[in-house]
Amino acid sequence: MAYSVLVAANRGPLSYALAADGTLTARRGGGGLVSGLSAALARQPDALWVCAALSEADREAVRQGVSEPGVRMLDIDETVYDDAYNGIANSVLWFTHHHLYDVPTAPVFDAEFRRHWDSYVVYNRAFARALAQEAAEGAAVLVQDYHLALVPGELRELRPDLRISHFTHTPWASRDFLDMLPDDVRAQLMWGMLGADVVGFHTSAWAHAFMEGARLDDERGTAAPCFPAGTGGERYVEKGPAGPGRGHRRTDVAVYALGVDGDELRALAHRLEVNDKLAALRAEVGDRRTIVRVDRTELSKNIVRGLLAYRELLTTRPEWRGRVVHLASAYPSRQDLEVYRAYTQSVRELAARINEEFGSQDWQPVLLSVQDDFARSLAAYRLADVALVNPVRDGMNLVAKEIPVVSDGGCALVLSTGAGAYGELREDALTVNPFDVSDTAQALHEALGMPAAERAERTKRLAAAATALPPSAWFEAQLSALRGP
Ligand code: G6P
């Protein structure tokens, strides 16, 4: 069967676990991209999701021919995959787009980097080849994220008949950070992206950063030419790379701010399992106020400065001691990378230190959970008086949108200016500079003391903004833009 709608993403809607007796069981994949796309694709019965086998169990499933309808998992050589995913996508592109480098020591672009980059090219070509095989004439192909930045360019070469989009779920790097990449690598990246008919971002800030990067390479003559044809509004135009015999193609740069499906989320948050977890949390928290955060243990989420702000709150505003609990869920992510393991450790240590410093017999100031437990997270959302979302830089951040929709009594949102969601939610949030711990502590204090009526009003408006473009509408808007009139 040839498909007319195809999605490509590194992570698939499910991944497999291999039991000791050799049986394979499927589990839902994690992260914002997967939840948004799964919801959107549930309404597209004839679509194909092309993803990578992420683990030995996934590879075993592919070898045994185990699969789910609408999913094609690619069994990419383990070393190639590791170099591409850990070596380039998570260590270079993620760090570049989120501005995470500690510049005196990183990045280092050496022979090992070149080996990883070659693998990244091979991995992207494997996706392009699979998509080219599966797509019907003139099909729409929606490529996701920084893992697959070269796919549009590669696929365009193989199948010029296709309509191709690329959506970036992260920020796009500023010029200064993009400029750190070796010239040829940056040019190849832009070539890949500009192979798409439409390049999408969560916010106009990231779209503008992308266009600025494209112009930079154009000015220097290091890239295939891109000719900016206008900016402003929510839709922009770039001329894509000129290839032999292809002329200047046009690439639209567009903004689609992903939101949440309010009805579905509320239904999920009121399942029995969540009610049970809520009762358990309530018993632990008592009648104290709650500050809630839920993140992957991820450097860009700024969990350590969040804890420092909480500590400063307890130090400078002793009236909150014993009257507040910080429910911090930081579930494991990318633990193959040493820098993530070290970060996870510093989160644990700081939470323990705060509990030692301020805790008493009947009060534990921080309840840190490091389990990937969606039901518990939803229970924490419902209990939230204050939501803390303070990333240094984040493509969107769906947690900032989910908590106001789900919280039982309304919540005050403390939101970083670095989150993509800042653009849509800032008027009703208490906004903070993510690097300013004292500013964040002050915002937590104000949020905890916010009068109930004001909190309810703000929460209502936050929830309305958060649900403006639910996943299915977000996806369909992109699909119809791609198919054109
Ligand atoms: C972010 C990225 C996604 C990624 C997710 C989880 O949301 O935009 O592409 O899937 O993080 O990260 P992981 O490395 O576990 O897939």
Side-chain angles (χ1 to χ4, degrees):
M1 173 179 168
Y3 292 88
S4 56
V5 177
L6 298 94
V7 163
N10 171 64
R11 192 172 276 281
L14 45 90
S15 60
Y16 293 91
L18 190 60
D21 66 357
T23 34
L24 287 162
T25 43
R27 282 179 313 172
R28 186 175 178 273
L33 177 150
V34 166
S35 54
L37 269 181
S38 301
L41 280 181
R43 300 188 188 200
Q44 303 278 338
D46 298 327
L48 180 70
W49 185 325
V50 178
C51 59
L54 306 181
S55 62
E56 196 38 43
D58 285 355
R59 276 186 279 274
E60 187 53 35
V62 179
R63 272 176 234 134
Q64 291 184 18
V66 175
S67 70
E68 300 289 316
V71 180
R72 176 163 168 197
M73 223 177 228
L74 305 179
D75 179 7
I76 295 165
D77 173 83
E78 199 178 334
T79 311
V80 169
Y81 181 74
D82 184 51
D83 290 352
Y85 173 71
N86 284 314
I88 298 295
N90 289 342
S91 297
V92 176
L93 298 178
W94 182 272
F95 273 62
T96 303
H97 289 320
H98 290 87
H99 299 179
L100 293 177
Y101 283 125
D102 191 7
V103 174
T105 54
V108 174
F109 297 122
D110 55 4
E112 187 185 48
F113 164 76
R114 286 289 162 181
R115 190 167 53 73
H116 291 168
W117 182 256
D118 290 346
S119 292
Y120 183 77
V121 174
V122 171
Y123 154 90
N124 271 257
R125 285 190 180 144
F127 269 83
R129 262 202 313 277
L131 292 163
Q133 277 167 10
E134 302 279 2
E137 176 76 21
V141 183
L142 296 95
V143 181
Q144 311 298 312
D145 247 347
Y146 56 98
H147 312 88
L148 302 179
L150 306 181
V151 167
E154 297 287 348
L155 186 56
R156 172 80 51 209
E157 303 260 309
L158 298 172
R159 290 285 304 271
D161 62 297
L162 300 177
R163 301 288 298 164
I164 306 170
S165 70
H166 185 285
F167 193 89
T168 296
H169 294 258
T170 65
W172 190 264
S174 72
R175 255 171 98 135
D176 286 347
F177 276 80
L178 213 55
D179 225 7
M180 291 178 182
L181 296 173
D183 282 355
D184 62 317
V185 166
R186 193 181 56 246
Q188 208 176 342
L189 202 63
M190 295 314 294
W191 169 85
M193 295 289 288
L194 290 171
D197 296 293
V198 183
V199 172
F201 296 91
H202 282 306
T203 71
S204 54
W206 314 143
H208 281 292
F210 175 78
M211 286 188 292
E212 217 189 323
R215 274 193 288 274
L216 172 76
D217 267 0
D218 187 33
E219 280 160 25
R220 295 201 183 139
T222 45
C226 320
F227 302 111
T231 55
E234 292 289 89
R235 201 163 180 89
Y236 322 93
V237 179
E238 286 282 332
K239 282 274 175 68
R246 236 189 304 148
H248 293 305
R249 281 189 45 264
R250 172 183 142 147
T251 298
D252 286 1
V253 181
V255 176
Y256 301 96
L258 177 63
V260 300
D261 182 330
D263 292 339
E264 189 194 270
L265 194 63
R266 277 185 284 261
L268 282 173
H270 286 84
R271 285 170 306 154
L272 273 179
E273 187 192 1
V274 178
N275 292 342
D276 290 349
K277 305 246 175 188
L278 181 61
L281 281 180
R282 272 219 180 94
E284 276 189 270
V285 169
D287 59 359
R288 298 181 179 94
R289 309 217 123 203
T290 59
I291 299 172
V292 171
R293 78 172 305 141
V294 174
D295 301 284
R296 288 185 297 111
T297 309
E298 163 56 55
L299 285 74
S300 63
K301 303 293 182 188
N302 208 20
I303 304 169
V304 169
R305 284 195 196 84
L307 286 169
L308 289 174
Y310 181 60
R311 180 163 76 176
E312 190 157 313
L313 171 83
L314 298 178
T315 309
T316 58
R317 310 274 183 179
E319 67 268 29
W320 289 115
R321 291 185 199 165
R323 292 178 51 217
V324 62
V325 173
H326 185 13
L327 296 171
S329 167
Y331 57 91
S333 181
R334 304 182 188 165
Q335 295 291 304
D336 287 345
L337 296 177
E338 164 55 27
V339 61
Y340 278 75
R341 292 198 295 273
Y343 190 71
T344 307
Q345 190 51 26
S346 43
V347 168
R348 282 178 194 267
E349 281 169 13
L350 184 51
R353 218 177 314 140
I354 294 172
N355 283 336
E356 253 167 55
E357 249 173 82
F358 298 96
S360 62
Q361 275 261 295
D362 61 350
W363 174 54
Q364 187 174 325
V366 185
L367 293 182
L368 176 69
S369 161
V370 292
Q371 309 299 321
D372 185 358
D373 183 345
F374 188 48
R376 185 187 189 276
S377 298
L378 288 172
Y381 284 6
R382 286 184 53 188
L383 204 56
D385 294 309
V386 174
L388 175 58
V389 180
N390 67 323
V392 290
R393 197 172 159 90
D394 207 341
M396 170 52 75
N397 198 301
L398 286 180
V399 173
K401 293 187 166 182
E402 288 167 350
I403 301 185
V405 170
V406 169
S407 70
D408 283 345
C411 68
L413 174 64
V414 175
L415 180 64
S416 160
T417 54
Y422 169 78
E424 293 166 278
L425 305 183
R426 65 191 197 192
E427 280 182 15
D428 286 298
L430 300 173
T431 61
V432 293
N433 166 349
F435 305 99
D436 190 338
V437 165
S438 300
D439 183 32
T440 308
Q442 173 61 22
L444 288 175
H445 170 67
E446 284 169 29
L448 286 166
M450 188 183 283
E454 183 185 346
R455 209 170 69 172
E457 275 307 306
R458 286 187 188 233
T459 305
K460 216 186 294 165
R461 289 192 295 264
L462 287 169
T467 51
L469 194 63
S472 49
W474 170 83
F475 187 80
E476 264 147 36
Q478 291 178 69
L479 194 56
S480 50
L482 190 55
R483 285 175 165 156

